[in-house]
Amino acid sequence: MRLSRRTRLAGVALVAAASLTLAACGGDSGDDSSSSDQVITVDGSEPQNPLVPSSTNETGGGNVIDELYAGLVAYKADGSTVNEVADSIESEDNKTWTVKLKDWEFSDGSKVTADSFVKAWSYGAFIDNAQLNAYFYYPIAGTNDEGNSETPELSGLKVVDEKTFTITLKQAEADFPARLGYSAFFPLPDAAFGSDGKVTKEFGENPITNGPYKMDGEGAWEHDTQIRLVPNEKYDGERKPENGGLTFKFYTDLDAAYTDVQAGNLDVLKTVPDSALTTFESDENVQPVSEPGSVFQSFTIPQSMPGFGSDEEGKLRRQAISLAINREEITDKIFNGTRTPAKDFSSPLMPGFNEDIEGSEVLSFDPEKAKQLWAQADEIKKFNGKFQIGYNGDGGHQAWVDAVSNQLKNNLGIQASGKSYPTFDELRKDVTDRTIKIAFRTGWQPDYPSIYNYLAPVYGTGAGSNDGDYSNKQFDDLINQAAGAQDEDERYKLYSDAQAVLMQDLPAIPTWYTNIAAASAKGVNNVEFNWQNLPEYHKLTK
């Protein structure tokens, strides 16, 4: 959106009014039998880390954190932005922003102040704290290219008074406020910090929060089993719970989760297993949800993987791998049309989406060209290894990984297979620790509705979610220019130019966009899915 010289973000829609609202038919919302005291059970996965916003960049923890905390702004189901903790966010030049807060409390009754935000963000950016979301602070003055600050206090943040603080950016960025609903920008109470200035392990296990829900007392997080949340009576924002609480139940087998939905033992399952994709919409035991979606799927090939580096050999092999995959066949036969073959590195639901990126023909199926490129790479150095794709066995990924592996074997004549990790947490640990030596499945559930979010945190040099350690100065420069572009059309063109670089380098192999294919149990009402492919948890009743 275009912002005038003097901008006031007060319920301004980030996406056009014509964009899709992902509303699903989850029962009669006017049913008088719905009860606000009923706890809703939803599927989830064991968080990789303690529940601290700046150290959580995966969905297992992220989906829980989004219900526990409230940021300066919040996102509605269609991706439009409304002020939440912020009373106003203003700027004369789109570079220095003044934030004024509403009266707000944490779940323990302590005040949410300007210092609650400044201290939390400074903690997230301080390099000694090694927070996974540090890259999101990159636009703020005082950070380096990875979003890290060399000092505990971030120079671009200043507390003016108890309810006012300023944010000074490195350059003018008109859409910066729209990012402030992402979890990296949530506040923390003083009780989060120990005497050494670091967030304590105890806080991460049972955090004090300011969002629509809070932890259900000591022991609410039963590791590898579930996390129990209850409504936060101190919350006075846009997402007031209409239910009696949420329980995120952790499943290692989606088929078992679907069986629980059919039996009424699980209220909402956000991803239907492959085995039910052809039948769930006609299954009389569930309420099906099928809508367009915004989640991007891929598999990442680490830059350190032999034969797949940033040199000419590596680029040829990556392009050959991509061209050898028949995405149409897999999305049709395995996913029953509930996935859409990827045309770029973002999502068709994002403003500025372009399906004609320069070089995007590398995402088409062309086995002959794939063989030619692989042969050219072999002329540089013969490949005698085995290509493997790591995936989490609890996420329903085996079928497509096996299909991709078979296509690579048939179309390139190489050894290819999948490698299953029992849980998402175990896969992510190897990825984060950089102990994984093979390709691995990746995906992106957007943090805020912008193409920038699909690109910068994932492929920017040193970015916290740059799991393959990709680095290209041309890409970084284009993304930086896009962030500073004051004209919307110019910004979208720069996104396309940046993606053209990715099409050449292929740090990850785009596969498909995940449509919403979900199910709820009979008797569950107000099932509405949002721009993140997630239920509007606070609206669910039964």
Side-chain angles (χ1 to χ4, degrees):
M1 64 181 173
R2 290 189 179 86
L3 300 180
S4 59
R5 180 173 174 78
R6 181 170 180 81
T7 301
R8 182 180 180 87
L9 189 78
V12 180
L14 178 62
V15 295
S19 65
L20 290 176
T21 300
L22 304 181
C25 51
D28 179 7
S29 60
D31 186 352
D32 291 337
S33 66
S34 293
S35 176
S36 63
D37 62 359
Q38 293 291 311
V39 174
I40 302 296
T41 57
V42 299
D43 71 296
S45 58
E46 174 74 9
Q48 180 187 2
N49 296 308
L51 297 173
V52 179
S54 58
S55 69
T56 300
N57 68 346
E58 46 77 36
T59 57
N63 293 342
V64 176
I65 280 175
D66 284 345
E67 302 306 310
L68 289 173
Y69 289 89
L72 295 173
V73 304
Y75 304 116
K76 291 187 175 182
D78 64 355
S80 58
T81 307
V82 294
N83 282 356
E84 190 156 46
V85 182
D87 185 54
S88 64
I89 305 173
E90 298 179 343
S91 179
E92 294 282 353
D93 56 5
N94 292 332
K95 184 176 181 181
T96 297
W97 298 85
T98 298
V99 179
K100 293 186 179 296
L101 305 179
K102 299 173 184 173
D103 291 327
W104 206 279
E105 293 182 359
F106 286 104
S107 54
D108 66 346
S110 60
K111 289 183 179 180
V112 176
T113 65
D115 195 55
S116 306
F117 286 93
V118 170
K119 193 172 181 179
W121 300 5
S122 294
Y123 176 82
F126 185 34
I127 192 167
D128 285 3
N129 295 329
Q131 297 296 282
L132 294 174
N133 276 333
Y135 185 79
F136 283 90
Y137 310 114
Y138 162 75
I140 302 174
T143 63
N144 59 22
D145 289 349
E146 287 79 43
N148 288 303
S149 169
E150 298 294 334
T151 59
E153 295 181 359
L154 192 51
S155 64
L157 301 175
K158 300 293 181 185
V159 173
V160 177
D161 57 44
E162 186 178 71
K163 294 172 64 176
T164 310
F165 69 100
T166 61
I167 309 167
T168 300
L169 306 181
K170 297 173 184 174
Q171 63 175 10
E173 297 193 11
D175 69 346
F176 177 75
R179 307 174 201 170
L180 297 178
Y182 176 55
S183 58
F185 299 105
F186 290 160
L188 290 174
D190 286 341
F193 301 93
S195 58
D196 59 357
K198 295 186 180 296
V199 175
T200 66
K201 181 179 179 181
E202 291 76 17
F203 179 86
E205 286 285 319
N206 188 25
I208 297 165
T209 59
N210 71 320
Y213 294 91
K214 63 182 181 179
M215 300 291 280
D216 187 16
E218 291 291 336
W221 184 353
E222 301 172 47
H223 285 279
D224 299 311
T225 301
Q226 63 183 15
I227 291 178
R228 303 187 315 276
L229 310 183
V230 294
N232 175 14
E233 65 276 5
K234 300 293 185 181
Y235 177 78
D236 190 27
E238 297 287 332
R239 300 173 289 148
K240 291 183 179 178
E242 297 175 22
N243 49 56
L246 299 171
T247 296
F248 286 83
K249 299 176 69 173
F250 305 151
Y251 286 88
T252 57
D253 182 355
L254 284 180
D255 287 300
Y258 186 73
T259 298
D260 275 357
V261 175
Q262 290 175 309
N265 297 323
L266 178 69
D267 292 322
V268 179
L269 175 64
K270 64 182 179 293
T271 305
V272 168
D274 295 348
S275 60
L277 287 176
T278 60
T279 59
F280 83 102
E281 291 188 84
S282 59
D283 189 339
E284 295 182 353
N285 295 311
V286 304
Q287 297 181 107
V289 182
S290 181
E291 297 286 343
S294 60
V295 171
F296 167 81
Q297 298 286 358
S298 59
F299 59 89
T300 293
I301 306 175
Q303 297 291 306
S304 60
M305 190 167 156
F308 290 87
S310 60
D311 57 5
E312 184 64 16
E313 179 195 358
K315 289 183 180 181
L316 288 169
R317 295 203 189 283
R318 289 168 184 266
Q319 292 173 16
I321 291 285
S322 182
L323 290 163
I325 300 170
N326 189 336
R327 294 165 177 80
E328 293 277 359
E329 182 178 69
I330 293 174
T331 55
D332 181 44
K333 293 187 176 180
I334 291 179
F335 294 117
N336 196 43
T338 59
R339 307 291 189 272
T340 303
K343 300 292 185 183
D344 80 329
F345 285 80
S346 68
S347 161
L349 297 188
M350 293 299 108
F353 170 77
N354 178 10
E355 66 176 17
D356 296 316
I357 304 290
E358 181 181 351
S360 61
E361 60 272 11
V362 76
L363 304 184
S364 60
F365 178 51
D366 191 339
E368 292 305 314
K369 186 174 182 181
K371 290 175 184 175
Q372 293 172 8
L373 295 179
W374 193 265
Q376 290 177 34
D378 273 350
E379 290 176 4
I380 298 173
K381 185 176 181 180
K382 185 70 174 176
F383 182 81
N384 294 312
K386 181 177 183 180
F387 189 87
Q388 286 189 292
I389 302 174
Y391 66 95
N392 52 302
D394 60 352
H397 298 287
Q398 181 177 352
W400 75 258
V401 171
D402 287 347
V404 167
S405 298
N406 286 332
Q407 289 180 354
L408 297 181
K409 284 190 286 187
N410 295 334
N411 297 321
L412 294 178
I414 63 174
Q415 295 185 63
S417 65
K419 177 183 177 181
S420 177
Y421 284 74
T423 66
F424 184 56
D425 181 42
E426 291 173 79
L427 171 64
R428 288 302 307 171
K429 185 179 188 305
D430 272 9
V431 170
T432 302
D433 294 345
R434 298 303 191 264
T435 56
I436 195 165
K437 304 300 181 185
I438 59 175
F440 50 91
R441 69 150 291 265
T442 41
W444 194 252
Q445 173 186 296
D447 305 307
Y448 49 88
S450 169
I451 290 176
Y452 179 91
N453 181 241
Y454 287 81
L455 303 180
V458 186
Y459 308 110
T461 299
S465 296
N466 186 345
D467 294 329
D469 296 321
Y470 172 69
S471 180
N472 184 303
K473 186 177 185 304
Q474 183 184 7
F475 172 82
D476 293 339
D477 289 345
L478 287 166
I479 283 296
N480 193 39
Q481 292 173 42
Q486 303 303 300
D487 179 77
E488 192 175 69
D489 292 337
E490 178 188 1
R491 186 181 309 131
Y492 294 157
K493 182 184 182 301
L494 288 164
Y495 289 154
S496 293
D497 292 345
Q499 290 203 67
V501 176
L502 299 183
M503 292 297 177
Q504 290 295 316
D505 294 348
L506 291 176
I509 307 298
T511 51
W512 36 77
Y513 315 115
T514 300
N515 299 337
I516 298 167
S520 64
K522 291 291 188 179
V524 179
N525 297 316
N526 304 321
V527 182
E528 180 180 352
F529 276 69
N530 62 26
W531 58 277
Q532 286 183 298
N533 282 27
L534 291 175
E536 289 283 272
Y537 291 114
H538 65 284
K539 295 181 180 180
L540 296 168
T541 61
K542 64 177 180 179

